[in-house]
Amino acid sequence: MMLLSSNSNELHPCIKFFSSLFINIVARWPGSTHDSHVFRSSNICHYIEENYHSLDDGILLGDSGYACRPFMMTPYSNPSTPAQVAYNEAHCKTRVIIEQTFGCWKRRFHVLHSEIRMAPEKVCIIIGACAVLHNIATILNEPMEDGDAGDEMNVGDVYCGPDQGQAVRNYICQTYFS
């Protein structure tokens, strides 16, 4: 998920500053829990639901596993116009930063590649520590052992529920991509 500026098709300035850094991490859910469920259960989601008023507040970008909501834009599952295709391309190019960050994080800390067989409390601490150490290494510009960061993409399940944000997504598509 990523924040997009409401005034342009570019990343919000704070995302540019924090690019490739973790600014919030929740490690208390089992690995099989879908990201969208973790988000829906989070305090930040509840805050946004209560305080979001318009595009001027910005938007979040989620993959197709998230519900399209007024504050959460997802890609079109079957784009049918050139504007929808352009929207999906911009959406993908913007979201790829977080996917690359996860790929880099997993390469830096191989323990994150598979199941960590320890008590859940210890696993939460390990994940948090890996996030902090990743941030420190990124800020200090530490090189990766295996070199290039690559373009690792994580394609989620397609959300098939109500499209509450479809009107907002269509407005963005028509306004900025037509």
Side-chain angles (χ1 to χ4, degrees), residues 18-177:
F18 289 112
S19 183
S20 301
L21 297 179
F22 292 101
I23 56 173
N24 187 326
I25 190 160
V26 178
R28 63 178 174 260
W29 292 88
S32 61
T33 306
H34 196 280
D35 297 346
S36 63
H37 177 72
V38 174
F39 175 69
R40 278 192 319 271
S41 303
S42 72
N43 289 336
I44 190 73
C45 180
H46 299 297
Y47 176 84
I48 293 170
E49 287 174 334
E50 292 173 11
N51 295 289
Y52 185 84
H53 302 291
S54 71
L55 286 175
D56 291 335
D57 294 334
I59 57 172
L60 298 171
L61 297 182
D63 64 24
S64 58
Y66 287 85
C68 184
R69 301 177 67 181
F71 57 84
M72 171 74 73
M73 295 296 102
T74 59
Y76 285 96
S77 57
N78 295 307
S80 60
T81 68
Q84 290 177 356
V85 170
Y87 166 90
N88 275 7
E89 288 174 1
H91 186 280
C92 181
K93 286 178 183 176
T94 305
R95 277 202 74 259
V96 76
I97 294 168
I98 191 63
E99 300 301 338
Q100 289 173 343
T101 300
F102 280 125
C104 177
W105 188 44
K106 285 180 174 182
R107 279 190 305 283
R108 184 167 292 192
F109 301 101
H110 293 273
V111 69
L112 301 173
H113 273 287
S114 60
E115 178 183 354
I116 304 172
R117 295 183 178 193
M118 294 183 180
E121 300 79 26
K122 286 187 180 182
V123 174
C124 293
I125 292 169
I126 290 169
I127 291 170
C130 288
V132 170
L133 291 171
H134 168 82
N135 284 355
I136 292 169
T138 300
I139 291 167
L140 296 176
N141 219 9
E142 287 291 320
M144 295 289 294
E145 282 187 25
D146 62 356
D148 192 27
D151 287 349
E152 187 172 308
M153 284 295 291
N154 180 16
V155 178
D157 298 327
V158 175
Y159 177 78
C160 296
D163 286 324
Q164 298 166 330
Q166 188 175 20
V168 175
R169 181 177 63 191
N170 288 340
Y171 170 80
I172 291 170
C173 183
Q174 292 302 316
T175 303
Y176 296 104
F177 297 97

